[in-house]
Amino acid sequence: MIVRTTILKFTTTGAPDFIDLTDETEKAVKSSGIQNGTVLVYSKHTTAAIRINESEAGIKHDFREHVKKIYPPFEYYRHNDMGVRTENLDCDDNRCDKNGHSHLNHFFLGTSETIPIVEGKMALGRWQRVFLIELCSPRKREVVLQVLGV
Ligand code: ZN
């Protein structure tokens, strides 16, 4: 069994920014030498999701429009209410206090994807691409790629 871990670093431009990780992930799989196993693509954040979908401008546009309706940024969120919030107040960039909508969106998208590796390649479908999706303001982000197999 072989395990190879790579950390990717990004600076995003704000929500919803789609960063296509497919080529970097394929590169990590190839350099690992693993022929059969899985690759985990994992976001180290609570407001930046990992999802697989098609890379097409219309889909990205639709995502942006629907997210605004489902998680409107200017609704009341208890996470944003500093009058009642008592936890995790040590934010170092002074922006974490108004992103309740970003956290909710992240809950329903997810933190990771796991992709099968078959004969040295990711078993993605024709249209499948792996994205880091920024759900908050511009930030520094880290994604862990962990390739595991034989
Ligand atoms: Zn927050």
Side-chain angles (χ1 to χ4, degrees), residues 17-79:
D17 189 8
F18 288 77
I19 298 175
D20 192 329
L21 306 174
T22 314
D23 293 343
E24 290 284 344
T25 307
E26 189 74 56
K27 198 187 310 177
V29 168
K30 194 171 182 178
S31 70
S32 74
I34 290 169
Q35 292 301 300
N36 291 287
T38 57
V39 56
L40 170 71
V41 184
Y42 177 83
S43 165
K44 291 178 67 176
H45 308 282
T46 57
T47 57
I50 303 292
R51 292 284 79 180
I52 292 175
N53 214 309
E54 184 176 343
S55 183
E56 190 272 327
I59 292 170
K60 293 174 187 171
H61 172 84
D62 293 340
F63 179 89
R64 290 180 183 103
E65 294 305 310
H66 282 270
V67 161
K68 280 186 224 162
K69 293 177 199 163
I70 299 169
Y71 311 105
F74 302 108
E75 288 280 316
Y76 175 83
Y77 297 96
R78 188 168 290 233
H79 180 69

Side-chain angles (χ1 to χ4, degrees), residues 46-47 79 85 96-100 103:
T46 57
T47 57
H79 180 69
R85 185 171 158 186
C96 63
D97 55 344
K98 299 292 180 193
N99 63 359
H103 288 282

Side-chain angles (χ1 to χ4, degrees), residues 86-100:
T86 59
E87 300 163 277
N88 304 338
L89 299 172
D90 58 342
C91 181
D92 57 2
D93 62 9
N94 204 24
R95 293 180 299 181
C96 63
D97 55 344
K98 299 292 180 193
N99 63 359

